């Protein structure tokens, strides 16, 4: 049942809502975004050679590595999958609460769904937490000093520019507004362990988050978001990202959108897989870089 | 429930577990996970031992470590925001087949066999155990530049990682448990090549 990382890469959609949304965000980032779904092309790009025998060797090594549990590549993918499921569920809950608020009979149900901003903030913190955990799974703790490690993180963030831009636009700016990062800490402060448990991905991630108990996990996530928000603030101002800009970029690929910014964020959360899509591509690249060096 | 019945049930469960374990045992290799090539992690040199052996970057360049796992360490050589090359050291204990390509090597750096893989990759096998590789990225590097990078690694330090380690391995593992291909050290080839 478990597929190798490269098989997952080749099964990624070539053209669907997810790809169009990412293409839209790609227009905001210098260098743009390319939807890499061919393992052979990725290997040829890393090796700088299209010799079929070399590509075959790299591929065989990469499949061996992604099957080995201790190497962490497969574990990183399961983190991304868990978060992706949670994103769908949160999007669904928010659609339900929006629809429910408008229909008298369903008003009681709307009260059952949690306040959507808090839920969104918790969802974002889980994604950032998953990103940190996946980084250590895929890359280990590279270098001998803290300086090496943070340089490595910065380098990773540079590579994953579109991925981070998508995270910031879809999960922070669209649903929470342009002041999202400033609001984030306050919203997380209000979140309770119950809000955390409501997210299905939490159950799957809980074992991999350091600390024992929901309270400890929540404070780990808050600290993760705090350190991430510093970097994200610089990223937002260097690219001049705003919710409006994101909406316009998305309209360029998805077509006109009549609803509000929040509605677009909810819609994309419920119906696209941007996070796991770019996640598979990022892990596949690191895996191929390693396999190429080991053959 | 009588005392005898309880004991009987307990021993039945114990026997069932034992038999179950024995039946499943031969299938352990089918279970997911384990290290690459099923080498015990203690036999593989940890990636953190490789970090200090990487070349120091020249002025204007930057060396960013990207991956560090057991038996593997990789760094990216950058100039500004452009990647020039991937530099990596790996322990071939987990990939013995990688050593075979060096048999046809015609050239050497500091006595260790050198092999080109495609147009952008150069590999060096140190002490018949550690593979050092430079892969040109982006616009690419010409072979001389790659060889200069390979030479800039601390190759003596890398070769020195070997003896202490193997001595420990020999002590730690009884002869019956070792797999024939896992330990390449001490073959005649290894001893001759550095001298040549």
């Amino acid at each position: 049942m478990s597929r190798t990382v490269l098989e997952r890469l080749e099964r990624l959609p070539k053209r669907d809502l997810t790809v169009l949304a990412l293409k839209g965000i790609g227009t905001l980032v210098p260098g743009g975004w390319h939807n890499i779904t061919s393992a052979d092309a990725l290997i040829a790009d890393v090796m700088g050679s299209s010799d079929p025998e070399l590509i075959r060797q790299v591929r065989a090594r990469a499949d061996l590595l992604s099957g080995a549990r201790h190497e962490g590549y497969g574990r990183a993918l399961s983190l991304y999958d868990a978060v992706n499921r949670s994103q769908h569920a949160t999007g669904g809950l928010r659609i339900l609460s929006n629809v429910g608020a408008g229909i008298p009979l369903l008003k009681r149900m709307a009260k059952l769904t949690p306040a959507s901003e808090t839920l969104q903030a918790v969802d974002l913190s889980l994604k950032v937490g998953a990103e940190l955990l996946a980084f250590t799974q895929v890359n280990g703790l590279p270098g001998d000093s803290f300086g090496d490690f943070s340089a490595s993180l910065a380098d990773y963030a540079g590579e994953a520019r579109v991925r981070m831009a998508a995270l910031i636009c879809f999960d922070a700016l669209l649903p929470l507004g342009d002041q999202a990062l400033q609001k984030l800490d306050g919203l997380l402060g209000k979140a309770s362990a119950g809000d955390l448990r409501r997210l299905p991905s939490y159950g799957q991630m809980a074992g991999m988050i350091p600390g024992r108990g929901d309270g400890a996990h929540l404070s780990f996530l808050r600290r993760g978001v705090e350190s991430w928000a510093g970097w994200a603030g610089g990223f937002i101002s260097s690219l001049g990202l705003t919710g409006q800009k994101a909406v316009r970029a998305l309209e360029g690929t998805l077509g006109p959108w009549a609803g509000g910014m929040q509605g677009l964020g909810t819609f994309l959360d419920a119906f696209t897989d941007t996070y796991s899509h770019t996640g598979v591509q990022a892990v596949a690249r690191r895996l191929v870089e390693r396999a190429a060096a080991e053959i | 429930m009588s005392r005898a019945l309880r004991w009987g049930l307990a021993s039945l469960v114990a026997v069932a577990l034992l038999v179950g374990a024995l039946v499943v045992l031969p299938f352990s290799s089918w279970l997911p996970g384990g290290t690459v090539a099923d080498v015990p992690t203690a036999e593989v040199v940890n990636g953190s031992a490789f970090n200090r052996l990487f070349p120091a970057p020249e002025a204007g360049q930057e060396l960013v470590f990207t991956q560090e796992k057991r038996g593997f360490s990789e760094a990216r050589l950058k100039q500004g925001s452009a990647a020039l090359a991937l530099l990596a050291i790996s322990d071939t204990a987990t990939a013995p087949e990688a050593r075979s390509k060096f048999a046809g090597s015609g050239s050497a750096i500091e006595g260790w066999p050198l092999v080109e893989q495609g147009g952008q990759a150069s590999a060096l096998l140190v002490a018949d155990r550690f593979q050092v590789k430079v892969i040109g990225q982006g616009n690419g590097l010409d072979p001389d530049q790659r060889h200069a990078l390979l030479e800039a690694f601390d190759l003596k330090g890398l070769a020195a990682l070997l003896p202490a380690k193997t001595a420990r391995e020999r002590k730690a593992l009884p002869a019956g448990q070792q797999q024939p291909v896992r330990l390449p050290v001490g073959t005649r080839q290894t001893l001759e090549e550095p001298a040549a």
Side-chain angles (χ1 to χ4, degrees), chain A residues 179-224:
Chain A
Q179 300 303 309
L181 294 182
Q182 289 82 334
K183 280 188 346 201
L184 206 53
D185 197 51
L187 285 172
L188 282 176
K190 272 189 274 173
S192 64
D195 290 330
L196 192 59
R197 267 200 302 271
R198 223 186 286 263
L199 294 171
S201 69
Y202 172 65
Q204 282 147 347
M205 273 175 67
M208 292 195 237
I209 302 178
R212 192 171 285 187
D214 297 340
H217 290 167
L218 200 60
S219 74
F220 169 81
L221 292 175
R222 266 183 86 171
R223 260 186 318 187

Side-chain angles (χ1 to χ4, degrees), chain B:
Chain B
M1 212 190 287
S2 78
R3 196 185 162 85
L5 192 62
R6 258 183 288 170
W7 275 102
L9 268 179
S11 52
L12 204 69
V13 167
V15 167
L17 279 176
L18 199 66
V19 169
L22 285 176
V23 166
V24 169
L25 202 60
F27 296 96
S28 61
S29 61
W30 291 14
L31 298 174
T35 52
V36 196
D38 281 329
V39 184
T41 47
E43 281 183 30
V44 183
V45 178
N46 202 358
S48 54
F50 299 143
N51 288 340
R52 62 193 163 79
L53 307 172
F54 277 75
E58 289 169 29
Q61 296 180 346
E62 194 191 355
L63 192 67
V64 179
F65 286 93
T66 54
Q67 289 194 61
E68 182 191 311
K69 298 282 180 66
R70 198 157 265 282
F72 183 74
S73 183
E74 186 163 55
R76 193 185 293 264
L77 187 66
K78 293 173 77 174
Q79 185 140 38
S81 62
L84 293 177
L86 288 176
L87 312 180
I89 302 180
S90 60
D91 185 346
T92 58
T94 65
E97 64 280 2
R99 284 194 290 264
S100 58
K101 64 178 176 289
F102 292 98
S105 153
S107 46
I109 291 180
E110 288 187 25
W112 309 112
L114 174 74
V115 155
E116 301 292 322
Q117 289 182 301
Q120 281 303 327
S122 300
L124 194 66
L125 185 65
V126 173
D128 207 18
R129 171 84 182 247
F130 302 110
Q131 179 170 220
V132 185
K133 194 174 279 193
V134 174
I135 307 176
Q137 298 286 292
N139 296 330
L141 298 174
D142 56 45
D144 290 340
Q145 285 173 309
R146 294 203 300 271
H147 298 169
L149 276 171
L150 282 175
E151 249 182 294
F153 277 87
D154 182 358
L155 299 177
K156 283 197 188 71
L158 186 58
L161 283 178
L162 200 53
K165 171 113 190 65
T166 47
R168 206 174 343 124
E169 266 166 21
R170 285 204 184 114
K171 241 187 283 168
L173 281 172
Q177 278 187 15
Q178 284 178 354
Q179 309 243 334
V181 274
R182 298 296 181 238
L183 286 177
V185 282
T187 60
R188 196 170 302 145
Q189 220 183 354
T190 335
L191 295 173
E192 277 171 13
E193 241 153 12

Side-chain angles (χ1 to χ4, degrees), chain A residues 45-49 54 57 61 64-65 67-73 135-144 148 151-152 155 159 285-287 289-290 292-295, chain B residues 32-37 48 51-52 62-72 74 76 78 86 88 90 94-95 97-98 101 117-121 131 133 135-137:
Chain A
D45 182 42
V46 169
M47 281 296 278
S49 154
L54 275 182
Q57 285 178 19
R61 183 71 190 162
L64 198 65
L65 285 169
R69 199 176 39 211
H70 290 288
E71 298 299 334
Y73 300 101
F135 177 86
T136 54
Q137 288 294 331
V138 170
N139 303 290
L141 298 171
D144 291 331
D148 280 340
S152 161
D155 186 57
E159 247 176 77
R285 184 160 201 107
R286 283 293 153 103
L287 175 65
E289 282 179 357
R290 171 157 179 200
E294 284 196 339
I295 59 152
Chain B
T35 52
V36 196
S48 54
N51 288 340
R52 62 193 163 79
E62 194 191 355
L63 192 67
V64 179
F65 286 93
T66 54
Q67 289 194 61
E68 182 191 311
K69 298 282 180 66
R70 198 157 265 282
F72 183 74
E74 186 163 55
R76 193 185 293 264
K78 293 173 77 174
L86 288 176
S90 60
T94 65
E97 64 280 2
K101 64 178 176 289
Q117 289 182 301
Q120 281 303 327
Q131 179 170 220
K133 194 174 279 193
I135 307 176
Q137 298 286 292

Side-chain angles (χ1 to χ4, degrees), chain A residues 44-109:
Chain A
D45 182 42
V46 169
M47 281 296 278
S49 154
S50 49
D51 178 0
E53 172 57 21
L54 275 182
I55 290 178
R56 191 195 60 73
Q57 285 178 19
V58 173
R59 207 187 161 124
R61 183 71 190 162
D63 287 346
L64 198 65
L65 285 169
S66 67
R69 199 176 39 211
H70 290 288
E71 298 299 334
Y73 300 101
R75 220 178 289 166
L77 285 193
S78 51
L79 272 170
Y80 290 144
D81 288 341
V83 166
N84 204 50
R85 273 195 289 277
S86 152
Q87 169 185 317
H88 285 291
T90 337
L93 277 180
R94 292 216 312 274
I95 286 181
L96 196 71
S97 74
N98 287 354
V99 170
I103 303 171
L105 268 179
L106 292 180
K107 267 202 177 128
R108 278 187 52 196
M109 209 150 137

